[in-house]
Amino acid sequence: MHDSHSLLGGLFGDPVVDALFTDAARVQAMLDVEAALARAQVRCGVIPAAALAPIEAACQAGHYPLDALGQATALAGNPAIPLVKALTAQVRQHDPDAARWVHWGATSQDIIDSGAILQLRDALTRVEERLQVLCAALAGLADAERDTGLPGRTLLQQAVPVTFGLKAAGWLDALQRSQGRLQALRSDTLVLQFGGAAGTLASLQSRGLDVALALGDALDLPVPSLPWHTARDRIAELGSAFALLTGTLGKIATDIVLLMQSEVAEAFEPSGEGKGGSSAMPHKRNPVGCVAAIAAATRVPGLLSTLFAAMPQPHERAAGQWHAEWETVPEIVRLCAGSLAQVGVVVQGLQLDRPRMQAHLDSHGGLLYAEAVAVTLAGTLGKAAAHALVEEAARRALAESRHLRDVLQQMPEVAAQLPPAQLQALFAADSWRGMADTWIDRVLARG
């Protein structure tokens, strides 16, 4: 996995989110769960109150060399086992009696899963904040550019006119759906894991639920109906929410990359010193932010498939499937956060060449307005006849390098139905807006 200090970390990551998933952060999150467990059990009268301070004092990641923990993890099979052993030894140095109560009633997976949930919750907060900024920028763009026309493109070919405001509103609409999915994770997915050896909490006898509720309160995490050691739909759902956001960001980036093509040149990423250059071609202005977002959208689906493949876990504890999640989930979240950072910079500094957009609307002899003419003629000639007539006119316009309007004016079948002024109006700037403003307003109203 990348980190913010690696060669590729700045390209594919978000330093704040990357910092949440370092080895030290993972260890601290597990220790935060251990400290909260001790607080909850003291509150419930399960362990002596005198044990709390020594345990809390020892729950600092700096006490534990990461290299040694890593080596021990390779032998133990998970990082909680050596961490609990080291934590117990650390507590014992100061209070041998308190050391008896470290990790009381819990199992390794309780600590690892709940610690991971704490990390993911912090990452979610960062992503939601960045996403809100991006959505606000797109809302401003959708409103400001509602009168900016450009060719709509289907199958990468010019089709009919659209507005850039509508294009931005489409991006925003999809991101708003991601906002809803991410928000839902807080109550439905980011929940406590606490079940003991096999989910019964039998080691706590009748106090299991009391401790679970107190632990959930201490960590500010919802307590599910029962432990979910091998029920991993929540993790797959979380990965899916971040993957969907990453895919939407990739779609936005793809649109901008295509608009930046030399032959199109209608929109551009913000420029800057050292940004988007080529090692071989001095004239190049490469869409580096969008490329990073597209790379993330290309990588994340494969990672997500790992989470779905890991769902059929055996009985009460997985035999490798759960372990496959440990690096996969953070990588999905980090790639998503990195993509969001890149697209945020691109959108907030996006440069539009409006005259170029208008020139493309006027290019190709007005062929982009063929649909408007066909729909109008269909009212009297019928859809099939009107379509065939305009199709023939379009072929003739291309073959003779003439404007479609001029060809249509000279066709008796058209002249009989459309006076010159009405035909001229079909090629005017406002003839192609359709519901664009309405759609924009509906999206903005949801913000």
Side-chain angles (χ1 to χ4, degrees):
M1 294 193 295
H2 59 262
D3 63 62
S4 57
H5 301 294
S6 71
L7 186 63
L8 300 178
L11 180 61
F12 293 120
D14 174 331
V16 174
V17 173
D18 286 343
L20 295 173
F21 292 107
T22 62
D23 288 341
R26 187 190 292 264
V27 169
Q28 187 58 60
M30 289 190 287
L31 290 170
D32 288 343
V33 177
E34 292 286 2
L37 177 61
R39 287 197 299 275
Q41 292 179 331
V42 166
R43 176 177 157 187
C44 293
V46 172
I47 69 173
L52 179 56
I55 293 174
E56 285 187 320
C59 287
Q60 300 296 324
H63 293 313
Y64 309 98
L66 295 177
D67 288 346
L69 282 177
Q71 292 170 9
T73 295
L75 297 174
N78 76 56
I81 292 173
L83 180 61
V84 170
K85 183 177 179 180
L87 172 61
T88 304
Q90 179 75 15
V91 174
R92 186 179 296 114
Q93 288 180 12
H94 301 279
D95 189 329
D97 290 334
R100 295 176 50 213
W101 306 104
V102 171
H103 193 66
W104 189 255
T107 193
S108 296
Q109 186 167 356
D110 294 336
I111 306 306
I112 292 172
D113 274 350
S114 290
I117 292 297
L118 295 180
Q119 293 174 276
L120 291 166
R121 183 175 64 184
D122 288 344
L124 176 61
T125 296
R126 168 69 169 182
V127 167
E128 286 182 319
E129 290 169 353
R130 282 241 184 197
L131 182 54
Q132 181 55 43
V133 172
L134 175 56
C135 285
L138 284 174
L141 200 58
D143 191 39
E145 305 299 332
R146 61 172 69 231
D147 294 327
T148 302
L150 76 163
R153 294 173 170 95
T154 60
L155 281 71
L156 295 177
Q157 306 295 307
Q158 291 190 8
V160 297
V162 296
T163 71
F164 196 84
L166 180 62
K167 188 178 286 285
W171 299 340
L172 174 58
D173 185 48
L175 291 178
Q176 287 173 337
R177 290 193 294 277
S178 271
Q179 284 182 305
R181 294 186 194 102
L182 294 179
Q183 179 60 39
L185 295 178
R186 292 190 180 275
S187 57
D188 299 338
T189 305
L190 297 176
V191 299
L192 180 72
Q193 175 74 284
F194 186 57
T200 62
L201 282 178
S203 61
L204 295 177
Q205 299 176 353
S206 63
R207 306 306 305 279
L209 178 58
D210 294 338
V211 173
L213 294 172
L215 179 55
D217 186 59
L219 295 172
D220 194 24
L221 288 177
V223 178
S225 299
L226 78 172
W228 45 282
H229 291 138
T230 51
R232 308 308 285 184
D233 57 294
R234 288 184 176 91
I235 298 301
E237 181 179 31
L238 181 141
S240 297
F242 280 95
L244 285 165
L245 173 54
T246 308
T248 293
L249 294 167
K251 185 275 188 287
I252 296 171
T254 298
D255 280 356
I256 295 172
V257 162
L258 293 172
L259 292 172
M260 276 188 72
Q261 284 185 110
S262 301
E263 294 80 6
V264 178
E266 293 175 352
F268 304 90
E269 286 192 9
S271 59
E273 183 66 29
K275 180 177 175 62
S278 165
S279 63
M281 295 167 284
H283 67 283
K284 290 292 292 297
R285 181 175 176 181
N286 292 321
V288 293
C290 291
V291 164
I294 294 168
T298 304
R299 292 171 63 187
V300 164
L303 294 167
L304 181 62
S305 70
T306 298
L307 301 185
F308 280 94
M311 283 187 66
Q313 299 189 5
H315 300 307
E316 281 68 54
R317 192 59 50 85
Q321 299 88 346
W322 170 54
H323 311 70
E325 299 172 0
W326 295 351
E327 291 187 304
T328 304
V329 174
E331 188 70 353
I332 290 172
V333 175
R334 293 166 72 180
L335 284 167
C336 179
S339 175
L340 182 56
Q342 292 280 11
V343 174
V345 170
V346 168
V347 168
Q348 291 177 72
L350 195 64
Q351 299 170 4
L352 305 182
D353 189 337
R354 299 172 187 82
R356 177 90 169 175
M357 293 177 180
Q358 184 60 49
H360 285 153
L361 282 179
D362 297 333
S363 66
H364 298 88
L367 292 181
L368 270 69
Y369 301 90
E371 183 197 43
V373 178
V375 169
T376 302
L377 288 173
T380 53
L381 298 180
K383 183 178 179 181
H387 188 279
L389 194 61
V390 177
E391 188 176 34
E392 171 59 27
R395 275 198 299 267
R396 199 178 301 175
L398 281 172
E400 300 171 7
S401 298
R402 298 170 60 199
H403 197 284
L404 177 62
R405 179 187 57 246
D406 297 335
V407 174
L408 288 166
Q409 281 180 333
Q410 295 180 6
M411 296 177 73
E413 308 96 315
V414 176
Q417 305 298 328
L418 295 177
Q422 187 177 357
L423 180 61
Q424 178 72 29
L426 292 175
F427 289 83
D430 283 337
S431 69
W432 41 262
R433 299 177 70 92
M435 290 289 102
D437 282 343
T438 300
W439 302 149
I440 292 170
D441 289 339
R442 285 168 63 86
V443 173
L444 295 181
R446 286 176 53 199

